Amino acid sequence: MTLITNPASSASALAVVVYRVCNRAVPDASAVRVSDLTIGGGVRVWLEPATAPSPSNWVICHRLTRQLQLLGLHAEIERDLQGLVVLGWSLPFLKHRARQLRSALHHRLADFTTTARAAVVHAAQVHARHDAVGEASVVTETCDFIGEQLRWPGRLADLDGWHRHSDLPDLQIALAHIIGLEAKVAQACNEHLVYTRVLATSVCRHITAAGDHREAQHRVLAAAAPWLRASQMLAHSRQRKGDPLPLVPGGPPATLTERLIAVSVTPHSERAARWS
């Protein structure tokens, strides 16, 4: 059994990902421990009683379970509420993840106006709090703030280095569909962060030129209005255009990568191992 107390420890890719997710859900990293199970390829997560954060174990365990379910994993809380066990993929939870990704693409990630307003206001506030801070620092802090608002940049970063796979055809198709959706979400998040960098930079330069934080915000938003409208129209047109059929009924159009992965799936026995 390999114990992981930080992402650099020697452990399976799944254990590292589970640790990242749990560490983000429970900021007190010293309270979380993760280890690979010797049988079945799963992972066990538990809390150190002496260093557990202020919320009760019941609250923490359910919080961690929800975050792991969002990855499409089946996790069960131990009876003594000291931790939980990650057992494998869950098709219902994978479908839930796909729904969450589609919802993000059609709602928050299609709303560039909210990002623009939040970025401009936050950049001006950072500049006002730290008069001596440089333009680069304002841009970096504003991008971090918008990334937290979008939520998905952090969630996708947790998956770095994790090759998701299953020997069961239904699960493999679901994973291929999710990986395709994640690529679209990552691209959309990057577009929002590009806008954020441009707007935050513009705010700093307007403040330097005029010396008025509120006036700088108005000028930047007024100048950005035309291309914000164009971005909104482009996002909506991408949702309506006639692309290839979806992999699942009611889902978004399948990308070329999704279709190539799906057709490469070969039948396997239902008794095959859940992990590979």
Side-chain angles (χ1 to χ4, degrees):
M1 180 176 70
T2 302
L3 172 66
I4 175 172
T5 58
N6 63 74
S9 298
S10 176
S12 69
L14 173 64
V16 173
V17 170
V18 169
Y19 177 83
R20 291 172 183 163
V21 172
C22 294
N23 185 37
R24 189 159 48 81
V26 183
D28 186 356
S30 62
V32 179
R33 297 290 183 270
V34 177
S35 67
D36 288 302
L37 296 176
T38 55
I39 299 176
V43 168
R44 180 172 181 257
V45 183
W46 73 96
L47 308 171
E48 291 290 346
T51 58
S54 55
S56 67
N57 280 11
W58 187 91
V59 173
I60 296 173
C61 286
H62 280 272
R63 184 185 304 167
L64 298 181
T65 301
R66 287 195 300 271
Q67 294 300 314
L68 293 171
Q69 289 172 349
L70 185 59
L71 286 178
L73 298 170
H74 176 75
E76 294 185 0
I77 300 175
E78 297 176 342
R79 290 185 179 180
D80 58 3
L81 296 178
Q82 294 302 310
L84 50 113
V85 178
V86 180
L87 299 175
W89 296 119
S90 166
L91 188 57
F93 291 142
L94 287 172
K95 291 180 179 178
H96 174 65
R97 181 173 182 81
R99 286 194 297 271
Q100 293 294 312
L101 288 162
R102 289 196 297 269
S103 177
L105 287 169
H106 293 164
H107 295 94
R108 181 61 183 90
L109 293 177
D111 183 6
F112 290 95
T113 301
T114 297
T115 292
R117 290 173 178 169
V120 168
V121 171
H122 190 78
Q125 290 175 345
V126 173
H127 195 284
R129 286 199 309 265
H130 311 287
D131 291 333
V133 72
E135 179 182 297
S137 298
V138 173
V139 172
T140 299
E141 188 170 335
T142 304
C143 286
D144 291 342
F145 172 76
I146 295 299
E148 291 176 1
Q149 279 201 335
L150 297 175
R151 305 186 70 177
W152 283 102
R155 289 172 174 174
L156 296 180
D158 290 339
L159 308 180
D160 288 347
W162 188 24
H163 175 65
R164 285 164 286 179
H165 181 74
S166 173
D167 290 330
L168 301 181
D170 289 347
L171 294 176
Q172 192 168 353
I173 291 174
L175 288 169
H177 176 55
I178 285 171
I179 291 170
L181 285 173
E182 288 173 352
K184 296 176 184 177
V185 167
Q187 180 180 358
C189 289
N190 185 60
E191 291 175 0
H192 281 261
L193 294 176
V194 168
Y195 284 142
T196 298
R197 284 193 289 272
V198 172
L199 291 170
T201 301
S202 184
V203 167
C204 291
R205 293 177 181 176
H206 274 78
I207 292 174
T208 301
D212 188 329
H213 291 76
R214 186 174 297 275
E215 180 64 22
Q217 295 178 51
H218 290 311
R219 288 185 179 181
V220 171
L221 286 176
W227 52 265
L228 282 175
R229 285 194 295 269
S231 298
Q232 298 285 127
M233 294 173 62
L234 182 61
H236 290 301
S237 67
R238 282 200 299 256
Q239 296 173 17
R240 295 194 303 267
K241 64 185 287 190
D243 281 328
L245 294 176
L247 288 176
V248 295
T255 65
L256 176 61
T257 301
E258 288 175 276
R259 284 177 281 143
L260 288 175
I261 296 176
V263 299
S264 70
V265 176
T266 55
H268 292 277
S269 168
E270 289 293 324
R271 296 187 295 274
R274 305 190 86 183
W275 300 103
S276 65

